[in-house]
Amino acid sequence: MANNLKTLRNLLLLTLALLGGIVTAASLMSPRNADSDQPPLHRLGGDFTLQSLSGATSLSDFKGKVSALYIGYTHCPDVCPTSLAIMSQALKDLSPEELEQVQPLFVSVDPERDTPERLAEYSQFFHPKIIGMTGTKKDVDLVVNRYGTFYRKVEMKDSAMGYAVDHSSRIYLINKQGQLSKTLMHGTMPNEVVAEIRKLL
């Protein structure tokens, strides 16, 4: 009898654990939580001023256009080239009239190496409309904090690069009023980027 009760208790605990797992999995897979890794957009974003090849350049300079913002650095070995190539393809897929209403921006979190001149050359390689921007660490950190992104310098003593920069990889779409409207995760396909941009035109 005691063994039967023990077996029943174990089965009950196992059942409860399974139900708990199912509920948790369903909750994580629900549409409500599908974007839970994205910070609340209404709390993020805002104007900023950095240095481009043209001098001091603010996000508000492009009010009336949809801005596509990417934050990275030119020595990035993989995610930045990939994301900027995706952004470039999306821009090429827009009509000339649509493209006229879009301003792509590339903000560097590596101001030690990324001068406005280097950023301009690097950005132009991907698309002539992309404006490269950077600033002091304080100014760059302000942008990073406002857009809820992340970066950190990683020393690489055995590498000629000296250091790398770990960073988030997202495309931020900012509407014509200068408000952050959509955050696109790394790996978003160009056609999806185009679709999201067109919603804001």
Side-chain angles (χ1 to χ4, degrees):
M1 184 66 175
N3 286 338
N4 288 340
L5 288 175
K6 187 176 180 180
T7 301
L8 283 172
R9 186 185 67 181
N10 290 339
L11 284 172
L12 179 60
L13 291 173
L14 180 61
T15 302
L16 289 173
L18 286 172
L19 285 173
I22 291 170
V23 169
T24 301
S27 173
L28 290 173
M29 294 173 67
S30 70
R32 179 182 175 186
N33 288 314
D35 295 328
S36 61
D37 56 338
Q38 295 196 21
L41 295 183
H42 66 278
R43 298 179 190 168
L44 299 176
D47 194 22
F48 59 83
T49 300
L50 294 171
Q51 298 296 318
S52 72
L53 192 61
S54 302
T57 304
S58 301
L59 176 65
S60 57
D61 294 342
F62 309 111
K63 201 167 183 179
K65 293 187 176 184
V66 173
S67 295
L69 168 67
Y70 185 79
I71 300 174
Y73 70 117
T74 67
H75 284 72
C76 181
D78 40 37
V79 295
C80 289
T82 300
S83 295
L84 289 174
I86 288 172
M87 185 188 287
S88 172
Q89 185 58 54
L91 295 171
K92 290 174 183 173
D93 290 343
L94 294 171
S95 71
E97 293 75 18
E98 292 171 329
L99 184 59
E100 185 62 31
Q101 302 174 61
V102 178
Q103 182 55 63
L105 302 170
F106 176 51
V107 168
S108 171
V109 292
D110 185 15
E112 289 181 46
R113 295 183 294 204
D114 289 342
T115 63
E117 291 77 14
R118 175 172 173 78
L119 277 166
E121 182 180 12
Y122 184 81
S123 300
Q124 296 285 306
F125 174 78
F126 291 95
H127 195 280
K129 281 207 74 173
I130 300 177
I131 295 177
M133 308 167 72
T134 192
T136 64
K137 185 178 185 306
K138 180 181 178 182
D139 292 338
V140 169
D141 286 349
L142 178 65
V143 179
V144 167
N145 291 332
R146 285 191 172 172
Y147 285 84
T149 188
F150 157 85
Y151 81 96
R152 67 170 180 169
K153 189 174 174 180
V154 180
E155 299 294 337
M156 300 171 65
K157 294 180 180 177
D158 297 328
S159 169
M161 286 179 61
Y163 67 90
V165 182
D166 287 347
H167 64 93
S168 307
S169 179
R170 297 173 179 173
I171 296 174
Y172 301 90
L173 295 182
I174 299 157
N175 65 24
K176 293 182 177 182
Q177 291 74 45
Q179 300 164 332
L180 178 58
S181 179
K182 185 80 176 181
T183 300
L184 303 178
M185 304 306 288
H186 180 72
T188 301
M189 293 293 101
N191 63 315
E192 297 173 90
V193 178
V194 169
E196 294 298 337
I197 288 175
R198 282 178 173 154
K199 290 178 183 176
L200 300 176
L201 294 178

